[in-house]
Amino acid sequence: MSLVVREGLSLKPFNSFALDARASLFVEAGNDQQVREALALATSRGLPLLVIGGGSNLLLTQDVQALVLRMASRGVRVLSEADGVLVVEAEAGEPWHAFVVRTLEQGLAGLENLSLIPGTVGAAPMQNIGAYGVELKDVFAGLTALDRHTGELREFSLAECTFAYRDSRFKRESERWVILRVRFALSRTAAVHLDYGPVRQRLAVLGIEQPTPLQVSQAICAIRQEKLPDPAQLGNAGSFFKNPLVSAERAAALRAEHADLVAYPQADGQVKLAAGWLIERAGWKGYRDGDAGVHHLQALVLVNHGGASGPQLLALARRIQADILQRFAVDLEIEPRVL
Ligand code: EPU
């Protein structure tokens, strides 16, 4: 099927902040061939290409002078099974949470802690999505991407993706690769991860001591639903800042001033601070300037109460960054892609 090309389309339904920016051209690709056609179209029209999945990690501050390519490919398949480990491949356009639930319902463990994260399978490796002690890299078994420079397909192993906290090669080389499908190593024998924050406690309240992966997923969905706003109801892009890494000395100095500082020592000696704690402590939780605001239950999440613009949200983020720098001498890095 040939591409349906739309000019000047509003991206409001295609970004989770629900910002009303227009795309010069907009197409959806359901397969590799359509991705190639979109690339050729962008070249022939002299436009850059912007690939989006669920649009859940984007802050649009103006109209997008580009061909916006929304990945809409579907398909999930098992590629191999050995010693109870299955390699499952999903197309980039598969909605993430539905894919997670599908694997769990088939008795496969691995993705349960990553339940209810908005977005698509193809976007997940970009920022190495993570939640409740598990990151995508922990279950990653490879991906296939299209090289926009050569037009060839390329396979990537775990090491080649250079995943890090909310980071990957694909985020750093965003002009080069279009992720087409991703593979995951999932297990029939459950080894669940319950050590992050409220997970074990939540299950204990339900009287569950040895949870199945599906039960872990259900507990995590409940925790997320309590604290994180649903983008369908209140525009947001999840955590708006990364949790900052500081030196052990800096963390100790902050702890001396703030006994209840939330901090996680890292293997390399650095300390990760909970940005949500810093922002709340600085008094921003629930703050609102017009329709741009800070969520009242999770200070790390900026929200669009309806009519906020991208520049208004960005201005609020800059004020928060300046305040956190001044109060705590900590630099907060913006997490979503700002366009
Ligand atoms: N906290 C506060 N005030 C707040 C928010 C958090 O004091 O307003 C404290 C909490 O009490 C807790 C600590 O900060 O002690 C951590 O909070 P939480 O467990 O909610 O997680 P987070 O560090 O704020 C990170 C991820 C989330 C992920 C959760 C759970 C980042 C940038 N964010 O948030 O990811 O769901 O952990 O694993 O790493 C996302 O990336 O969009 C996202 C939602």
Side-chain angles (χ1 to χ4, degrees):
M1 233 178 54
S2 63
L3 285 181
V4 178
V5 182
R6 304 212 260 173
E7 301 213 16
L9 185 74
S10 169
L11 294 172
K12 193 167 178 176
F14 303 109
N15 73 97
S16 62
F17 261 126
L19 294 166
D20 191 13
R22 281 168 197 284
S24 311
L25 292 183
F26 177 91
V27 298
E28 291 184 309
N31 55 46
D32 295 7
Q33 178 55 28
Q34 290 189 327
V35 173
R36 290 180 189 280
E37 283 173 36
L39 279 170
L41 177 64
T43 305
S44 75
R45 300 286 283 262
L47 286 170
L49 184 78
L50 171 67
V51 182
I52 63 170
S56 52
N57 204 43
L58 270 186
L59 179 66
L60 301 170
T61 62
Q62 55 184 32
D63 287 343
V64 182
Q65 310 293 334
L67 183 150
V68 174
L69 166 61
R70 181 172 177 270
M71 296 299 288
S73 51
R74 293 298 184 88
V76 176
R77 57 197 77 86
V78 175
L79 296 186
S80 65
E81 175 166 8
D83 303 326
V85 176
L86 283 78
V87 175
V88 179
E89 181 176 74
E91 295 293 320
E94 283 287 336
W96 176 260
H97 179 64
F99 168 62
V100 170
V101 171
R102 186 167 163 175
T103 62
L104 291 169
E105 284 176 350
Q106 288 173 6
L108 299 177
L111 299 177
E112 55 278 2
N113 290 40
L114 303 177
S115 295
L116 217 60
I117 295 181
T120 55
V121 165
M126 293 292 294
Q127 50 153 343
N128 179 31
I129 58 170
Y132 304 99
V134 174
E135 289 184 338
L136 174 112
K137 70 171 173 52
D138 302 324
V139 283
F140 181 82
L143 65 76
T144 305
L146 181 70
D147 185 345
R148 287 161 59 179
H149 293 175
T150 66
E152 283 170 11
L153 295 187
R154 166 142 177 214
E155 309 291 324
F156 287 87
S157 68
L158 175 64
E160 288 168 324
C161 298
T162 53
F163 289 122
Y165 169 56
R166 293 295 189 278
D167 196 29
S168 75
R169 167 180 201 158
F170 307 102
K171 192 166 174 181
R172 296 186 292 267
E173 299 175 10
S174 64
E175 306 303 314
R176 175 133 190 212
W177 310 102
V178 181
I179 295 172
L180 298 175
R181 44 198 155 268
V182 186
R183 293 176 285 284
F184 303 87
L186 305 178
S187 164
R188 287 206 191 278
T189 49
V192 289
H193 304 270
L194 309 177
D195 291 331
Y196 184 97
V199 179
R200 195 185 298 276
Q201 190 192 341
R202 182 71 182 220
L203 286 157
V205 169
L206 299 170
I208 301 169
E209 269 173 33
Q210 295 199 312
T212 64
L214 193 56
Q215 287 172 321
V216 173
S217 169
Q218 286 160 351
I220 283 173
C221 286
I223 294 168
R224 290 186 74 98
Q225 278 163 338
E226 269 171 16
K227 280 209 301 198
L228 294 168
D230 176 357
Q233 258 120 54
L234 186 61
N236 75 89
S239 298
F240 198 84
F241 302 100
K242 287 191 189 181
N243 283 330
L245 285 166
V246 300
S247 68
E249 295 74 40
R250 180 87 216 102
L254 283 167
R255 165 94 67 216
E257 272 181 70
H258 310 277
D260 55 341
L261 180 80
V262 180
Y264 313 94
Q266 305 293 295
D268 65 0
Q270 288 186 293
V271 177
K272 192 187 267 184
L273 303 179
W277 185 92
L278 296 172
I279 298 168
E280 177 174 350
R281 179 50 61 97
W284 291 97
K285 197 171 186 171
Y287 175 86
R288 184 168 173 173
D289 181 6
D291 274 351
V294 179
H295 191 51
H296 68 292
L297 298 176
Q298 216 315 355
L300 201 46
V301 177
L302 297 195
V303 294
N304 175 7
H305 287 282
S309 67
Q312 284 167 344
L313 285 159
L314 189 58
L316 173 58
R318 298 282 184 230
R319 286 174 62 198
I320 294 170
Q321 283 175 312
D323 189 36
I324 298 303
L325 185 61
Q326 202 227 327
R327 283 175 197 263
F328 303 106
V330 171
D331 258 318
L332 287 186
E333 188 186 334
I334 290 179
E335 206 272 307
R337 188 162 175 200
V338 178
L339 289 174

